[in-house]
Amino acid sequence: MNLKSLLAKPFAGFIYNKIKKGNETAAEDQQAILKELVKTAKNTDFGKDHGFDKIQNYDDFKKQVPVRDYEQIKPYIDKIKEGRHNVLWKGKPIYFAKTSGTTSGVKYIPISKDSIPNHINSARDALLCYIAQTGNSEFTKGKMIFLSGSPMLDRVGGVPTGRLSGIVNHHVPKYLRSNQLPSYETNCIEEWEAKLDKIVEETIKEDMTLISGIPPWMQMYFDRLAEKSGKPVGELFPQFSVMVQGGVNFEPYKAKLYESIGRKVDCIELYPASEGFFAFQDSQSEPGMLLNTNSGIFFEFIPAAEIFNENPTRLGLKDVKVGENYAIIISNNAGLWAYNIGDTVKFVSTSPYRIVVSGRIKHFISAFGEHVIGEEVEAALLKAATEENIKIVEFTVAPFVQQGEGKSYHEWFIEFENMPASLATFKGKVDNNLRDKNAYYDDLISGNILKELVITPVRKNTFIDYMRSIGKLGGQNKLPRLSNDRKIADELQEYVV
């Protein structure tokens, strides 16, 4: 055991105990954070526009500050881009995290000197909780890979601007720099496939112990390693013991990733976003991720069915319930206020507060009133795939609205690792699973409004080729699993088997 590995254990125990103690006061901490946020920002443009000097408690905050999305906060962002100070938060942001929006084009999310520790320390805390729980600190001796965006930054309104993962790359602690791969030069490569080839070249002969990234791009990395070496990843890297992932639901990718590794490794799930690092897996035995309740973010939760209402119910942490589907709303110490990040979550525990991400607000199908969400389609497919011993590479679902005779249906475009023995049987299982998950969908099928879903197999590498064709291959780009229109579905027709 080297010095770094030796010192990691007592530090991990200290942080882990501190986090456990904080769980006991999470609801109170949230109210204290709201009070401090409002106090700090009361003299900003936003604070003056929204009467922050009148806000004494959460009820006042809800009256003064409506829920908003990026389009509604964009005028304030534009002021910052013009060089103004004290707009959303004191001073100016130290970074803009640049991200693609579905309706807003490019979005510029402010990161302040006060909020950057949330992005950096949360990932650290997830690893320390893992060490404290498992006793495994050996991975700190080897090489660790973080599949991220380019750390090269532009300037917008004098503010350094880039992808969040590239920004965070500048803040990797010195004690991990010697372990970090790929090199800075390789991380700066913009073209994903050229970058991936270089990553493979730099890592294939190294002692990799931890690999981190979003699951579909980790799978591409594993596939390239196997092509180059002819070995499973776990044999190539015998000390590889920790996989860190986030950004999408892990379950549909898990079986194939573990098959590529060739053995079981421990997994840590994270919930980072440009707007904040919201949660991380703190336990290897309990489900869900621990909500980051004492890290400069005030959380609100709106029942998902009310998110498009003019005056939706807004709940603080103490009023949430296990099993309910909520839109997550955040206010933070970078100047986002009652900001709808677009995700839905469910609590699996309120002691402590642990969540799972259930989907995206804009990623659903309700062309016929069914309001099917991502969590439901992923669970329906995973259950059928497990029963039939089928591995799914990737999939997406869209409605098909029948214009002539016949009934409308949901069309599932699926890239299979191995085809089902009977596609009809597999399709029937997926459809029944979805009916069990969603009562509205079940009513539409039983009422002969919709016919059973249709599965359209697509050729190998379809989704890689599709993402490449639209310029979104690699990085943190993710394929929407659900669409309420046919835009993606129509573009996938050329890939159908």
Side-chain angles (χ1 to χ4, degrees), residues 166-185:
I167 290 169
V168 169
N169 196 281
H170 289 272
H171 293 267
V172 173
K174 287 182 180 178
Y175 60 84
L176 288 181
R177 281 288 182 194
S178 61
N179 300 63
Q180 183 189 9
L181 285 172
S183 65
Y184 182 87
E185 293 74 20

Side-chain angles (χ1 to χ4, degrees), residues 321-391:
K321 295 178 180 176
V322 169
E324 297 287 328
N325 203 33
Y326 295 111
I328 185 170
I329 310 298
I330 66 115
S331 300
N332 73 357
N333 52 4
L336 296 177
W337 300 101
Y339 185 84
N340 178 3
I341 66 167
D343 288 347
T344 57
V345 300
K346 284 186 178 179
F347 283 86
V348 294
S349 165
T350 54
S351 182
Y353 289 98
R354 290 198 181 103
I355 60 170
V356 294
V357 179
S358 54
R360 293 282 295 166
I361 290 164
K362 292 178 180 176
H363 294 174
F364 64 90
I365 299 179
S366 199
F368 316 102
E370 64 275 42
H371 207 89
V372 169
I373 62 173
E375 179 190 44
E376 293 166 342
V377 298
E378 288 167 350
L381 183 60
L382 182 66
K383 184 179 179 185
T386 302
E387 290 174 357
E388 295 289 310
N389 197 26
I390 299 299
K391 292 184 178 64

Side-chain angles (χ1 to χ4, degrees), residues 252-253 256 391-395 414-417 463 481:
Y253 299 98
K256 191 167 188 293
K391 292 184 178 64
I392 307 296
V393 177
E394 189 58 276
F395 74 97
I414 301 179
E415 181 182 336
F416 291 97
E417 176 79 8
F463 294 99
R481 286 276 170 76

